Amino acid sequence: MPDASSPTPSLPLVTSGGELRTAVAAARTAGRSIGLVPTMGALHAGHLSLVTASVAQGRYTVVTVFVNPTQFGPHEDFSQYPRTLDRDLSLLAAAGAELVFAPEPGEIYPPGFSTFIEPPQVAQPLEGLCRPGHFRGVATVVLKLFHLAQPDVAYFGHKDYQQSLVIRRMVADLNVPVEVRVCPTMREPDGLALSSRNAYLSAAERRQALALSRSLFAAAELVACGEQSAAVVHKRMQQELATAGIDRIDYVALVDPETLAEVANLSRPTIALVAAHVGRTRLIDNLLLGG
Ligand code: AMP
């Protein structure tokens, strides 16, 4: 990860949709392909890996930094969500992004705004049950960002696996002319998936949070050793969380990678997902088993 404190080239920051369109149109006229990386800021190496994937392909890389109010529930962490724009800009400049779009909420949701995307079926289980309305907000803002930036390719993380399926399905269903690429989850050396919300964790909670990735790695190991029973693997995952003292588990799930339907048998590639509360912080993680 580049050092946020080192001097970096300046990076254009725009806050209005009009400025974004103008800058992107100029890049396109100059023959550039456009890469879009939507984020909520508080950037870490996971976000930057998406930027790097776009930059490596020579794209004019636009990063959006917007804490989207419509994807947060009324009792969620919208107001506390970390906002670190100056640091984000340094990191993005060092990573080779060429434009940042960081609008105020009123730019995206002006007075009178009332049109929302009804998300696809794949939004219903898992996060959809735990966070009603979340994917409606995600799909709406992402479609707006697609219309504003008109990217050739948009980059998302496997870390938010269900979100990537929702976006892919929306793009297919609504004929949005963008290619969606899903990049691998970046982890700390000890396995913890990078997340902006990790900043909320105390040292003790950080140790506890490791149980999420540990449960996924334990599942992968069982499958690698020939275990095919989802019930056995599910139980093992829950044990890892319980042993760490995590008692607020939203879900532990073994599902089909395309439909998110629960599976009983692990003979085919399966996604293991976990969502749990560590202290006051809700964390999610997932891993492809048998892929
Ligand atoms: P967020 O700022 O949390 O909305 O995330 C913005 C994008 O970064 C989403 O496509 C996420 O899936 C992706 N992302 C978040 N964490 C990671 C990670 N640890 N590794 C790779 N991508 C990530």
Side-chain angles (χ1 to χ4, degrees), residues 38-41 44 46-47 49-50 81 155-160 163 183-187 193-196:
T39 82
M40 297 204 300
H44 51 64
H47 298 112
S49 72
L50 308 182
Y81 198 85
Y155 297 83
F156 293 87
H158 199 280
K159 160 78 169 41
D160 297 275
Q163 170 175 279
C183 301
T185 300
M186 303 295 285
R187 299 179 179 280
L194 296 178
S195 164
S196 303

Side-chain angles (χ1 to χ4, degrees), residues 10 67 81 106 110 115 151 175 179 193 215 248:
S10 73
V67 185
Y81 198 85
T115 305
N175 308 99
E179 182 189 330
S215 74
R248 241 185 110 194

